[in-house]
Amino acid sequence: MGKEIITQHISACPLNCWDACSFKVTVVDGKVSKVEGNKEHPVTEGKICGRGRMLAERTNHQERLTVPLKKVNESWEEITWEQALQEIAGKLDHAKELFGPTSVLHSHDYSNNGLLKNIDERFFRAFGGWTKVEGSLCWGAGIEAQVRDFGNSLAHAPEDILNSRHVVVWGRNVARTNMHLLGYLKKAKKKGIKLTVIDPYRNQTAEMADHFVSVRPGSDGFLAAGIIKAVLKSGREDYTFIKEATYGFETLKKELDSVSLEFIQRTTGVSIEEINRLAEIYTERPVTTYAGLGMQRYKNGGNTIRLIDALGAISGNIGIPGGGVNYGNLAAGQSFNTAELALRSKEAEIRTFTRMNQAEKILTATEPPVEVIVVSRSNPLTQLPNTNLAEKAFKKAGTVVVMDQYMTDTAEEADYVLPVTSVFEEEDIYYASMYHSYANYGPKLSEPPGQAKSDLWIWTQLAEKLGFGEYFNYSLSEWLSIGTESLRKKGWSVEKLKEQGFLKLPVKEIPWSSLKFQTPTGKYEFYSKRAESMKEEGAVQLLHPSEAGDTDKELAEKYPYLLLSLHPLRSNHSQHYLHINARDYNVIEVSSDIAENIDLKNDDNVRVWNERGEITGKVKIQPGLHSSTLNIDEGRGKRFGGSVNVLTPHGESDMGQGSILYDCRVSIEKA
Ligand SMILES: Nc1nc2c(c(=O)[nH]1)N[C@H]1C(S)=C(S)[C@@H](COP(=O)(O)OP(=O)(O)OC[C@H]3O[C@@H](n4cnc5c(=O)[nH]c(N)nc54)[C@H](O)[C@@H]3O)O[C@H]1N2
Ligand SMILES: Nc1nc2c(c(=O)[nH]1)N[C@H]1C(S)=C(S)[C@@H](COP(=O)(O)OP(=O)(O)OC[C@H]3O[C@@H](n4cnc5c(=O)[nH]c(N)nc54)[C@H](O)[C@@H]3O)O[C@H]1N2
Ligand code: SF4
Ligand SMILES: [Mo]
């Protein structure tokens, strides 16, 4: 027997995550055997999480899809690529012929952060059009809020946290979802920088805080308003910033005058004393806020983030080292030339559904009806809200094509399933527009199992079959060069990136330090001209959530409890349950008062329901949860107990077509 050939390579985590880690990957005899962190990377510093590590197993697992599949009489038949591509191209062509290109729906999300994944849009533009999904399950409301306030959603460089006096983590599950921010929080604490956590769940991040504030789910806008009121009352606002750099302050003040601190105390469950303390913290500059995505997955989510931005602004924490309201970091993605990859200059017939209303629209659309659904880089039948409705919709469509590595709940409902490569079986550039501003290179390190192919290969082949192959006639290095065209002028090159494995994008460390904003007025806008031009309310509004509010008494009586469905610790959404030997039931976390009210003990079997669906599982009493609140972690496919999304509503947030996944009421009883 010959000796094993062992090589090590720099690679990248492709997962949809704040951290965008740089990897060191060991390959043994052509097979990926180990994924570790790359110590050279300045932010991720050789540390990665289990979800990243498990990508080795996820690449080699025996359940990987390896052959194109076609459903015939309710069972799967293996077919050749030639047959699959021929038949799918035929369905697309036929749909276009009969009903026009918008009878084809592309249902996708962002489960893989690869730059070249944007080429799916190029396919549909070249096809002549399609029905596209817009909006975001993830962070849409908050992004639109920051665009209204600042003109963009930009974050401070991670290490700038060490210039702060006080860090406020507001609705971000750092210990679970953003491990390198956790590392920076530890460094900050060592330097004596204080940490406050505001969350309805006393999670592990809260455990390390100097100060924890338990807020009623969906009420953070009121809390921020209360803090602003207290700052203004004490006269410690940053008068110069407000005067010189902002627009529409009076409209904010007017809205704040409509509520009293007593009302805010009742609505948020946070005492006036606590609100005053937070006001004091915010005026002892610099204070940095790390806002998460949790608190904007409500009907009022956009205004919630606008009010937190406003707090950062009136307290003078914008544009200064150690300050900022960090939410997204869109500048990372904006550095690339995705418009060209996606062929956005080409006119096409486009119909839009939002991610939230796609199920309803599929069920009701007639002009034209949805004939074909193509799903890529997403698992909608587990991840979309109201999955019972989504499943009904997918069953109704003529033909469903799913491109995935695994047989997911969505793939089970498809007519064709196409096996795709994993991150280590294709070459790409990876980045997350969420936290830091480094891009990572991911080379091709191993051969895919069986006949699995990259998304790019599949789109290219389909384009050829449909007669517009000329739009796809590029080599991989040409594609990468098109996607990075905009960066070349700034001294950035794919060659340099390949050499080092990671490269910082030309993004400012301290956004808005010039106090020039990207809004229509060039100022920080308490009153949004952009919203006005969209015929929406320009002023910041104090709105209640939908179900999570107590404004609908009847609903609150019928379904007395609030349901969160947070991101799981050990899985990225639906992707890792298979690799952690997950049990086949849901864990239903309940607050102590719920356990008392209906006499629940740990491991009791319970049923949780509302008018959209029901779920069963085992109780875990969670004293850290806000009163009357449950949590069921999201992402479990049917074999792991089923998705919590049978319960969640598919409504939309107040701006930015965001989801309202946590704006949800339920009942619970012993099963
Ligand atoms: N382990 C793990 N990490 C992940 C992911 C994963 O699936 N697993 N997914 C990645 C992705 S795609 C994303 S978008 C990010 C999301 O990252 P986060 O924003 O950290 O994650 P969430 O689970 O959405 O919840 C954030 C926090 O919001 C809190 N929250 C809920 N409602 C409210 C509220 O009304 N007010 C306040 N103040 N807080 C509230 C929750 O209790 C939770 O602590 O995580 C990324 N990282
Ligand atoms: N109840 C509830 N629901 C939620 C959330 C919540 O907090 N609560 N969070 C929401 C959020 S923040 C997000 S971002 C969404 C995530 O929703 P999704 O992105 O749909 O979820 P994932 O499970 O990450 O991935 C979907 C699929 O993509 C496949 N995949 C991975 N890489 C590739 C690739 O390169 N090509 C192709 N074709 N497929 C690939 C994976 O195998 C997986 O089956 O879920 C949302 N849903
Ligand atoms: S999932 Fe996030 S934290 Fe984990 S390895 Fe990937 S990028 Fe890093
Ligand atoms: Mo997300």
Side-chain angles (χ1 to χ4, degrees):
M1 244 172 69
K3 246 180 109 184
E4 282 179 331
I5 300 176
I6 303 177
T7 51
Q8 282 198 326
H9 311 264
I10 305 286
S11 179
C13 186
L15 295 171
N16 187 355
C17 173
W18 296 100
D19 293 74
C21 290
S22 175
F23 283 168
K24 195 176 75 189
V25 176
T26 308
V27 177
V28 180
D29 287 342
K31 205 172 139 176
V32 168
S33 78
K34 196 172 183 184
V35 178
E36 296 167 286
N38 171 16
K39 292 197 176 74
E40 310 291 317
H41 193 283
V43 178
T44 66
E45 290 184 314
K47 297 184 193 80
I48 60 168
C49 78
R51 294 165 289 147
R53 262 175 233 291
M54 278 183 267
L55 289 172
E57 180 184 326
R58 192 162 170 78
T59 295
N60 298 321
H61 199 275
Q62 80 256 19
E63 286 191 35
R64 273 289 293 278
L65 295 169
T66 57
V67 191
L69 300 171
K70 178 181 181 178
K71 200 179 270 162
V72 183
N73 301 325
E74 288 312 302
S75 61
W76 293 111
E77 261 179 25
E78 296 189 354
I79 56 173
T80 61
W81 272 110
E82 183 50 32
Q83 185 187 346
L85 295 165
Q86 197 69 44
E87 289 186 15
I88 293 165
K91 301 274 185 198
L92 291 169
D93 213 24
H94 186 69
K96 183 158 97 173
E97 194 74 9
L98 276 182
F99 300 102
T102 59
S103 63
V104 176
L105 168 73
H106 181 215
S107 181
H108 76 96
D109 218 296
Y110 298 94
S111 65
N112 179 304
N113 277 337
L115 174 64
L116 300 186
K117 298 291 165 179
N118 292 296
I119 280 171
D120 47 14
E121 184 175 335
R122 167 177 281 256
F123 174 86
F124 289 104
R125 288 200 177 256
F127 181 65
W130 78 110
T131 296
K132 75 190 267 201
V133 287
E134 276 190 342
S136 169
L137 301 175
C138 179
W139 64 352
I143 291 288
E144 176 62 20
Q146 291 222 308
V147 171
R148 288 186 184 186
D149 297 336
F150 300 97
N152 205 347
S153 183
L154 306 178
H156 286 232
E159 61 278 12
D160 182 56
I161 196 173
L162 300 176
N163 296 319
S164 308
R165 281 179 75 176
H166 206 113
V167 181
V168 179
V169 171
W170 200 327
R172 195 184 299 192
N173 209 351
V174 178
R176 204 181 251 215
T177 64
N178 190 184
M179 66 175 289
H180 296 93
L181 175 55
L182 185 72
Y184 277 105
L185 290 181
K186 287 180 183 158
K187 283 184 202 166
K189 282 206 65 157
K190 268 207 188 116
K191 266 191 79 181
I193 298 164
K194 296 280 185 250
L195 171 65
T196 291
V197 169
I198 306 176
D199 205 291
Y201 194 149
R202 190 180 184 104
N203 52 30
Q204 274 192 291
T205 323
E207 291 301 335
M208 67 184 276
D210 298 286
H211 196 54
F212 171 64
V213 179
S214 180
V215 63
R216 181 191 159 87
S219 72
D220 301 77
F222 288 94
L223 178 57
I227 306 170
I228 299 174
K229 277 172 90 78
V231 172
L232 296 179
K233 200 170 157 201
S234 73
R236 295 177 71 190
E237 71 272 27
D238 186 341
Y239 180 73
T240 318
F241 178 82
I242 295 171
K243 187 157 169 277
E244 310 275 318
T246 74
Y247 176 78
F249 180 55
E250 288 310 313
T251 62
L252 173 71
K253 266 192 25 198
K254 187 164 162 236
E255 185 68 1
L256 296 180
D257 286 343
S258 71
V259 288
S260 66
L261 278 179
E262 289 70 26
F263 176 82
I264 290 174
Q265 171 172 272
R266 279 199 305 280
T267 307
T268 60
V270 179
S271 69
I272 293 178
E273 199 186 355
E274 186 70 76
I275 292 170
N276 283 327
R277 171 136 67 145
L278 289 164
E280 216 160 283
I281 287 172
Y282 267 95
T283 51
E284 284 164 8
R285 288 194 292 268
V287 181
T288 183
T289 305
Y290 278 86
L293 316 187
M295 70 219 153
Q296 50 91 59
R297 296 196 186 107
Y298 295 83
K299 183 74 200 164
N300 57 353
N303 275 286
T304 295
I305 300 294
R306 288 202 72 190
L307 281 152
I308 293 172
D309 290 346
L311 171 58
I314 65 111
S315 60
N317 280 299
I318 303 303
I320 60 169
V325 182
N326 300 283
Y327 180 78
N329 183 23
L330 297 187
Q334 286 161 354
S335 309
F336 292 95
N337 197 8
T338 33
E340 184 56 32
L341 287 174
L343 202 64
R344 295 217 176 104
S345 55
K346 189 173 183 308
E347 289 275 325
E349 240 180 88
I350 297 177
R351 169 169 71 176
T352 51
F353 293 171
T354 66
R355 287 194 164 76
M356 268 51 71
N357 75 16
Q358 64 183 294
E360 227 164 34
K361 292 283 191 180
I362 294 166
L363 287 166
T364 54
T366 50
E367 285 177 10
V370 174
E371 283 296 295
V372 182
I373 303 178
V374 184
V375 178
S376 64
R377 34 178 186 145
S378 77
N379 183 8
L381 297 193
T382 305
Q383 295 308 123
L384 283 183
N386 201 352
T387 39
N388 283 332
L389 188 73
E391 194 175 311
K392 208 166 131 197
F394 273 60
K395 280 192 196 318
K396 187 195 170 219
T399 303
V400 177
V401 179
V402 172
M403 295 153 61
D404 206 307
Q405 299 151 350
Y406 283 88
M407 187 53 83
T408 60
D409 286 354
T410 312
E412 289 286 2
E413 292 301 326
D415 301 287
Y416 295 90
V417 179
L418 305 179
V420 304
T421 42
S422 89
V423 54
F424 306 124
E425 296 153 359
E426 60 188 18
E427 182 182 350
D428 210 336
I429 294 172
Y430 300 87
Y431 58 89
S433 293
M434 297 181 79
Y435 179 48
H436 63 73
S437 301
Y438 285 82
N440 299 319
Y441 174 64
K444 178 174 171 178
L445 299 176
S446 62
E447 288 306 319
Q451 301 166 31
K453 299 285 186 192
S454 68
D455 295 85
L456 176 58
W457 183 89
I458 298 170
W459 297 120
T460 305
Q461 297 301 312
L462 284 173
E464 255 164 42
K465 289 259 183 287
L466 286 159
F468 50 85
E470 72 272 18
Y471 289 106
F472 285 80
N473 216 351
Y474 300 97
S475 68
L476 206 103
S477 69
E478 284 168 334
W479 284 125
L480 291 178
S481 144
I482 294 171
T484 53
E485 170 81 52
S486 40
L487 282 160
R488 222 156 315 145
K489 303 188 266 309
K490 299 179 178 160
W492 212 89
S493 72
V494 177
E495 292 64 43
K496 252 194 226 169
L497 171 69
K498 284 186 183 178
E499 221 175 271
Q500 206 183 342
F502 54 85
L503 202 55
K504 190 160 178 353
L505 294 161
V507 169
K508 284 186 75 176
E509 313 269 295
I510 316 268
W512 316 123
S513 56
S514 65
L515 300 190
K516 288 197 180 61
F517 295 90
Q518 287 171 253
T519 54
T521 60
K523 308 237 175 192
Y524 176 95
E525 293 190 2
F526 293 112
Y527 180 89
S528 167
K529 283 283 194 187
R530 171 185 160 91
E532 189 185 83
S533 70
M534 293 161 78
K535 306 230 167 351
E536 291 181 27
E537 178 56 57
V540 175
Q541 290 174 288
L542 274 166
L543 302 177
H544 290 273
S546 162
E547 295 189 6
D550 41 18
T551 39
D552 186 342
K553 300 280 177 230
E554 214 174 296
L555 189 79
E557 237 164 64
K558 203 162 164 201
Y559 303 113
Y561 305 117
L562 307 184
L563 174 69
L564 301 176
S565 46
L566 304 183
H567 293 192
L569 173 65
R570 296 175 65 206
S571 180
N572 227 55
H573 308 296
S574 67
Q575 296 194 50
H576 295 78
Y577 286 97
L578 181 64
H579 312 295
I580 57 174
N581 294 321
R583 307 245 168 90
D584 62 355
Y585 59 83
N586 272 281
V587 175
I588 319 272
E589 294 181 85
V590 302
S591 58
S592 310
D593 62 312
I594 297 181
E596 235 162 75
N597 285 352
I598 49 177
D599 190 24
L600 294 175
K601 288 182 298 302
N602 281 331
D603 292 325
D604 277 353
N605 291 310
V606 285
R607 182 173 90 91
V608 179
W609 80 97
N610 59 23
E611 70 265 26
R612 290 174 288 268
E614 75 162 56
I615 207 169
T616 56
K618 284 188 194 298
V619 166
K620 183 173 174 202
I621 300 169
Q622 183 50 265
L625 269 169
H626 196 83
S627 62
S628 301
T629 305
L630 292 87
N631 173 53
I632 304 174
D633 281 355
E634 53 108 341
R636 298 185 92 97
K638 286 186 176 154
R639 64 194 274 195
F640 303 113
S643 174
V644 63
N645 280 320
V646 296
L647 298 167
T648 55
H650 65 280
E652 276 166 37
S653 56
D654 49 355
M655 59 186 80
Q657 300 169 326
S659 69
I660 61 164
L661 285 157
Y662 302 168
D663 203 338
C664 178
R665 276 189 177 273
V666 292
S667 248
I668 177 171
E669 66 179 13
K670 280 193 201 175

